[in-house]
Amino acid sequence: MSLIVMKFGGSSVGSTERMQRVARRIADYKEAGHKVVVVVSAMGDTTDDLIDQSKQLNSSPPAREMDMLLTTGEQISVALLSMAIHQLGHGAMSFTGWQAGIRTEAVHSKARITDIRPERLFKALEEGNAVLIAGFQGMTEDGEITTLGRGGSDTTAVALAAAIKADVCEIYTDVDGIYSTDPRIVKCARKLNEISYDEMLELANLGAAVLHPRAVEYAKNYNVRLVVRSSFTQNEGTSVKEEAVMEQGVVVRGIAYDKDVARISILGVEDVPGVLAKVFGALASSGIDVDIIVQSGVQDGKADFAFTVSLGDKERAIGVVESIRSEVPFREVSSEVDLVKVSIVGAGMVSNPGVAAKMFEAIYNLGVSIKMVSTSEIRLSCIISAEPVHDVVRALHTAYGLDTTEQVFVGGPQDRR
């Protein structure tokens, strides 16, 4: 007998038919003698639909009320799924995040989990129930409902697995594991049998949507056994673990891209000590995350530098820079959008010369200019124009020998594309 945490995303429970399929899989685990805790996202496009409705009524809705609204999507999912399990003859109990004992910091729309008190869950499990928990949500010590940000159901599942010391946390999605790149773009993408926490964390932070970065952080920090697999097939998934076996000859393990990028350039800044500290200190104080930073050469005592932020932070970032102009004089501040960050990731990169050159050559051969570059021991990222990103990803996938002869499909038998 094992204690298993299962997480199902919105596409896995996007219709009553799919929900019945999920209920059957949960029932199979119970019939095999396992104890099961299930975390569920909102059905299909429910969250997006709720956001659209809110914007029709208020262009800038209060964050507290948005949390009140958006948490209802997951509550619908767990209640319906519990009913489907009961129909199969098994006990099941659904819980909201706060009923499940999930406590968060007092921040609306992107709260972090501070504590989990799972006593009610253990009691329901001992009574023979499958325990179903609404993902993406929690409650502050003062009783305020909060959400964990988009992708927060992954974080809910992994945090719960750590709190209840589950034997495994299985993340179910519409693909049967983690691939070398987005299988919707590269149909011959390579499925990875296993990947390290560090590699997965890089890919998640760089735009790979299969796992939320905070979920991977939790798994790494608490050594949670994590498996990503399909809710539509019985295929073996991908294990995310501390150390992953390196495939012979494979240096780059994955290719990711992120379209949520804006570049801000500050031109004609005095080249004196403390300039960068003032600029990026002000941005940090305003809660703006900065990614890649590049400074150009100095001419006539003036320097230019550029940095990237998320698209949603672009206008705020420009406002912050303008607000400190008296402290940090500059000639001009400008911004650029329609960009994408393309990245390669692999633990073997650090010991293999020529990896960067191959990336630059593949991009150059497509006639695409590289605007910015950032590196770490296991990651290399380039900022390029957004339009050719799919061609660039395919070219890199081929250049690093990741293509396979197998064709990937996304979703169930009726969803091949």
Side-chain angles (χ1 to χ4, degrees), residues 45-72:
D45 297 325
T46 298
T47 301
D48 291 332
D49 292 341
L50 291 172
I51 292 173
D52 289 342
Q53 290 177 51
S54 72
K55 294 296 175 66
Q56 292 172 25
L57 297 170
N58 187 327
S59 59
S60 299
R64 180 187 184 277
E65 303 311 322
M66 284 300 292
D67 279 359
M68 289 288 289
L69 174 68
L70 297 184
T71 51
T72 62

Side-chain angles (χ1 to χ4, degrees), residues 259-272:
K259 292 184 177 180
D260 186 23
V261 177
R263 180 169 75 160
I264 296 175
S265 300
I266 306 178
L267 310 179
V269 182
E270 290 284 344
D271 182 38
V272 295

